[in-house]
Amino acid sequence: LDGIEVEAAAFEPIVSDLVERLKHHPQQFTQLALLIQGREDYLPDHAYTTTVLAMATAAALKWSQRDVQLIGRTGLVFELGMLLVPERIRVGMCELSEIDRGRVQRHPVFTLSMLQAVKGIDPIVRLAALQHHERENGMGYPHNTRKDDICDLARVLAVADTFAAATEPRSYRNKKLPYTAMEETIRSTSTNSFWKPAARALVQAAGLFPVGSYVRLSNNGN
């Protein structure tokens, strides 16, 4: 980002629009994320999907509008560091080597570095972007941070990010049905991977059978 100056205010129109949509259409809000069509260059779509899910989760947690806006701003920028990961690793078909996996696991640090160039951004946004792959049980990255040492924005972002990624297609795997992804997210709380209030709030916001799920009726539809 040498020589490039970015203003945090550049993201405000998107965040403000999402806040208004969430306020006036809370029941339909997560459809903005779950009905989006994935592209080969998935990062922009993934950032938007995660942002919508994170804001809906924050609202279900009864966070203030300011905090809902903060997590919206974070969701739009939290994966910037992936742009510094070689494209062959981001969208490649092959299983990652240990070296490649290490590069991917450095992307939150890359994001933090890139956000230093964003003027006017709240420090908590930088922290949440750095910590969004940390896990409650200390098994995350980049610093194996545990439980209450992870900021709440990052804890919500972790749940939204993981669920979003599972429901999006990648070159190396098919996307999962939203219900399957939700079931896996809930199951992950049993291993203390995710903050349980955030996982429960995501279910409340998106539903146990989110848009895009297929349900087999017990009477086979008759």
Side-chain angles (χ1 to χ4, degrees), residues 19-39:
V19 166
E20 287 301 307
R21 289 171 183 264
L22 177 58
K23 184 186 302 182
H24 295 294
H25 307 286
Q27 301 302 319
Q28 294 80 34
F29 184 70
T30 56
Q31 294 179 24
L32 292 172
L34 298 174
L35 294 180
I36 197 169
Q37 296 297 313
R39 294 171 286 184

Side-chain angles (χ1 to χ4, degrees), residues 41-170:
D41 182 4
Y42 67 87
L43 284 177
D45 291 339
H46 178 64
Y48 186 80
T49 298
T50 302
T51 297
V52 170
L53 292 170
M55 291 176 71
T57 301
L61 286 167
K62 307 299 183 184
W63 285 9
S64 68
Q65 181 170 308
R66 176 184 179 276
D67 287 338
V68 171
Q69 290 172 325
L70 271 175
I71 204 163
R73 294 176 192 128
T74 308
L76 293 176
V77 301
F78 81 116
E79 288 280 53
L80 282 177
M82 283 296 289
L83 295 173
L84 300 183
V85 175
E87 187 175 1
R88 68 169 183 83
I89 297 175
R90 287 204 319 267
V91 300
M93 298 285 289
C94 303
E95 185 176 348
L96 297 181
S97 67
E98 284 299 317
I99 293 176
D100 290 344
R101 193 172 293 109
R103 289 176 178 172
V104 170
Q105 292 185 353
R106 293 293 293 169
H107 82 266
V109 178
F110 299 156
T111 299
L112 178 63
S113 178
M114 295 171 77
L115 289 178
Q116 304 300 329
V118 180
K119 290 187 173 182
I121 199 164
D122 195 302
I124 194 65
V125 171
R126 295 191 181 100
L127 179 61
L130 175 66
Q131 293 186 330
H132 76 275
H133 276 294
E134 302 290 1
R135 295 294 179 259
E136 299 291 298
N137 56 14
M139 299 299 290
Y141 60 83
H143 298 133
N144 304 115
T145 307
R146 297 175 59 90
K147 293 190 176 181
D148 292 341
D149 290 330
I150 307 171
C151 73
D152 285 352
L153 263 70
R155 293 163 120 181
V156 168
L157 205 60
V159 173
D161 172 45
T162 301
F163 175 77
T167 60
E168 297 162 354
R170 296 288 186 267

